[in-house]
């Protein structure tokens, strides 16, 4: 996180004047959701011409017809196997949404016993999941939808606070799992350390059916020349005797065509067989023609890396703009800090307690849409009201710069109005 020593309090009169001028501009800018930009989607435009006249997969099967393996095309699974750290034989290529795979996995656990479970989760008096915070709101929404209680866990620089995690899982069998975004975590860009991954895979849990929901959404979304590489959670869990503990998820939705990508699920062979057996009740299989066009467009793991390098060229300047504006305005402001992620889609801005909602409100009135304060915490409630999630990927660079300049004006006014600056 970037922060420094306090400076003198922001002058309220000048802050108010700057804000009034901002409102008068009548802007309509948006830094809410982490969507790929048009320029990123254009990178995959050639896919729309694929697969052409030849619909045959590598094994000769016509992908337009019902396909033999519900796991998806092996040639596509081979491309994503290495970055997701899942053996091809244990990786499923499915439809377009990894969130859908997470949803189905939890529903299956609710209605059918997981491998190693004593029974169905729906028959338990209480089912709880650990939720590292700040975290991903869709994980929280999905849990709430299914009646799974969320228990916040603080995030450290190397992942969830393991002392807190161990204390919660060791004695309570109703704690059935933990949500994890292990690489460039949403929204603060945290990368889990090898020790954190090893501990999550090996720690003692009271629930025999405890599961790690390993949402590796940003496995290939790097912003630097030194990509992060998170430890192999499947291998480490298996080494510790808990092979069935992790479910790994990934997606190409921010790689190729958002909403028309391919989602992936990886797990132990036992978990994969369990998942496929239950999922066969609702589908014959995923869109193999889409699998084929992805395999032909990306070609290989190296082709995927090259494609993501082109993504980086588009979005890295936007992240740099966020860092530049925040540094120019708040480098020496007490209580204000922000993440400087090496990948992913978000920047987490931390403000003095109680100010996040006010900054978001001021920005909205000035025509700048920010994600609601609290969305980074379970039930939409940040106890400190201190975290703002910034999503710079979708707008063009000039709009990111204008929006961030406006956010700076709003934050200066909030600081001045409360006397928080310089405390």
């Amino acid at each position: 996180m970037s922060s420094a020593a306090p400076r003198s309090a922001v002058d309220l009169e000048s802050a108010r004047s700057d804000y009034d001028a901002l409102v008068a501009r009548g802007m309509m800018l948006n830094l809410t959701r982490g969507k790929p930009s048009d320029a990123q989607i254009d990178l995959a435009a050639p896919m729309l011409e694929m697969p052409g006249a030849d619909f045959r997969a590598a094994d000769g099967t016509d992908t337009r017809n019902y396909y033999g393996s519900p796991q998806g095309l092996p040639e596509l699974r081979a491309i994503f196997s290495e970055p997701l750290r899942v053996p091809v034989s244990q990786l499923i290529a499915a439809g377009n949404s990894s969130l859908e795979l997470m949803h189905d996995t939890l529903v299956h656990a609710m209605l059918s016993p997981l491998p190693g479970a004593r029974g169905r989760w729906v028959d338990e008096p209480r089912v709880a999941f650990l939720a590292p915070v700040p975290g991903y709101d869709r994980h929280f929404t999905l849990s709430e939808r299914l009646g799974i209680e969320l228990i916040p866990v603080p995030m450290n620089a190397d992942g969830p606070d393991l002392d807190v995690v161990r204390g919660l899982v060791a004695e309570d069998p109703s704690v059935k799992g933990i949500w994890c975004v292990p690489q460039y975590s949403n929204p603060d860009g945290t990368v889990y350390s090898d020790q954190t991954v090893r501990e999550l895979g090996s720690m003692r849990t009271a629930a025999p059916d405890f599961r790690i929901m390993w949402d590796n959404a940003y496995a290939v979304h790097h912003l630097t020349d030194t990509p992060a590489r998170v430890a192999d959670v499947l291998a480490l869990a298996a080494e510790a005797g808990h092979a069935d503990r992790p479910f790994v998820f990934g997606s190409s939705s921010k790689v190729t065509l958002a909403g028309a990508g391919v989602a992936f699920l990886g797990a132990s062979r036992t978990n994969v067989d369990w998942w496929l057996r239950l999922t066969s009740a609702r589908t014959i299989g995923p869109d193999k023609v889409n699998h084929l066009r992805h395999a032909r467009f990306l070609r290989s793991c190296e082709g995927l890396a090259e494609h993501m390098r082109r993504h980086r060229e588009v979005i890295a300047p936007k992240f740099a703009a966020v860092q530049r504006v925040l540094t120019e305005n708040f480098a020496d402001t007490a209580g204000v800090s922000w993440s400087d992620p090496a990948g992913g889609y978000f920047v987490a801005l931390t403000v003095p307690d109680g100010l996040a909602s006010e900054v978001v409100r001021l920005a909205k009135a000035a025509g700048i849409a920010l994600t609601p304060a609290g969305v980074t915490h379970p039930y939409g409630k940040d106890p400190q009201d201190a975290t703002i999630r910034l999503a710079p990927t979708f707008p063009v660079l000039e709009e990111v710069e204008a929006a961030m300049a406006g956010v700076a004006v709003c934050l200066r006014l909030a600081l001045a109005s409360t006397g928080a600056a310089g405390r």
Side-chain angles (χ1 to χ4, degrees):
M1 303 290 283
S2 302
S3 63
R7 68 177 178 186
S8 59
V10 176
D11 178 75
L12 178 58
E13 183 177 349
S14 63
R16 172 60 67 181
S17 175
D18 290 346
Y19 180 73
D20 290 343
L22 177 68
V23 173
R25 292 175 60 187
M27 296 191 298
M28 293 182 62
L29 300 172
N30 193 312
L31 292 177
T32 54
R33 297 226 67 92
K35 299 193 299 184
S37 65
D38 291 349
Q40 291 173 267
I41 295 173
D42 286 345
L43 295 174
M47 284 184 58
L48 298 176
E49 306 297 326
M50 295 179 176
D54 179 11
F55 290 86
R56 300 282 174 178
D59 64 1
T61 302
D62 189 337
T63 58
R64 297 171 298 179
N65 212 325
Y66 294 115
Y67 187 80
S69 171
Q71 277 192 242
L73 259 62
E75 55 262 47
L76 179 61
R77 290 187 278 128
I79 294 172
F80 283 86
S81 171
E82 196 279 334
L84 290 175
R85 312 297 297 275
V86 180
V88 175
S89 63
Q90 294 170 226
L91 188 62
I92 297 170
N96 72 305
S97 170
S98 57
L99 185 65
E100 183 178 86
L101 299 183
M102 297 174 217
H103 172 277
D104 285 3
T105 299
L106 293 183
V107 170
H108 289 333
M110 285 287 181
L111 300 179
S112 301
L114 281 158
R118 299 189 183 101
R120 307 185 308 168
W121 285 1
V122 73
D123 297 321
E124 299 269 357
R126 174 180 183 252
V127 175
F129 260 58
L130 305 185
V133 293
Y136 181 31
D137 55 313
R138 291 194 182 274
H139 291 163
F140 306 152
T141 300
L142 172 54
S143 302
E144 293 167 34
R145 166 70 179 83
L146 298 176
I148 296 173
E149 179 183 334
L150 292 165
I151 304 172
V153 172
M155 283 283 280
N156 292 332
D158 59 354
D161 187 317
L162 291 177
D163 290 336
V164 175
V165 170
R166 281 189 292 263
L168 290 167
V169 303
E171 306 298 335
D172 188 350
S174 69
V175 178
K176 297 294 189 182
I178 182 171
W179 287 108
C180 294
V181 181
Q183 184 164 308
Y184 312 135
S185 185
N186 178 352
D188 57 7
T190 297
V191 177
Y192 288 21
S193 69
D194 291 356
Q195 182 56 39
T196 294
V197 179
R198 183 180 299 277
E199 177 68 15
L200 289 170
S202 63
M203 64 187 178
R204 184 177 69 84
T205 65
D209 49 352
F210 183 89
R211 291 298 187 267
I212 300 171
M213 300 292 277
W214 197 254
D215 185 3
N216 204 356
Y218 308 110
V220 296
H221 296 272
H222 312 297
L223 288 170
T224 73
D225 291 324
T226 53
R229 185 170 175 81
V230 173
D232 185 342
V233 67
L234 283 175
L236 290 175
E239 180 184 294
H242 304 298
D244 296 336
R245 182 173 289 181
F247 280 103
V248 177
F249 302 92
S251 170
S252 77
S253 288
K254 291 183 174 70
V255 172
T256 52
L257 301 174
V262 178
F264 299 90
L265 181 152
S268 68
R269 188 69 245 177
T270 300
N271 275 340
V272 167
D273 290 344
W274 170 86
W275 197 94
L276 290 173
R277 174 175 57 82
L278 297 173
T279 300
S280 68
R282 74 165 182 83
T283 180
I284 299 299
D287 181 352
K288 305 305 194 307
V289 175
N290 195 35
H291 288 192
L292 183 61
R293 70 164 61 99
H294 274 77
R296 289 184 178 172
F297 175 69
L298 295 170
R299 305 183 309 281
S300 63
C301 186
E302 292 74 22
L304 171 60
E306 172 58 22
H307 183 70
M308 295 313 296
R309 185 193 63 76
R310 298 171 68 196
H311 273 261
R312 173 186 164 191
E313 290 177 351
V314 174
I315 66 173
K318 301 177 184 181
F319 280 86
V322 173
Q323 298 298 318
R324 182 174 64 254
V325 172
L326 292 175
T327 300
E328 289 173 353
N329 286 275
F330 305 108
D332 56 353
T333 302
V336 179
S337 61
W338 54 92
S339 59
D340 185 5
Y345 260 58
F346 302 97
V347 174
L349 172 61
T350 302
V351 300
D353 290 359
L355 286 193
S357 295
E358 177 63 6
V359 173
V360 172
R361 184 192 69 80
L362 290 169
K364 181 179 181 180
I368 303 169
L370 299 177
T371 306
V375 75
T376 55
H377 288 64
Y379 312 108
K381 297 178 180 178
D382 174 3
Q384 282 71 47
D385 188 23
T387 301
I388 299 171
R389 187 180 72 190
L390 303 172
T393 55
F394 181 70
V396 297
L397 178 58
E398 293 76 12
E399 290 179 345
V400 173
E401 293 171 334
M404 285 307 304
V407 169
V409 170
C410 296
L411 178 51
R412 285 202 305 270
L413 177 56
L415 291 167
S417 298
T418 62
R423 275 197 252 173

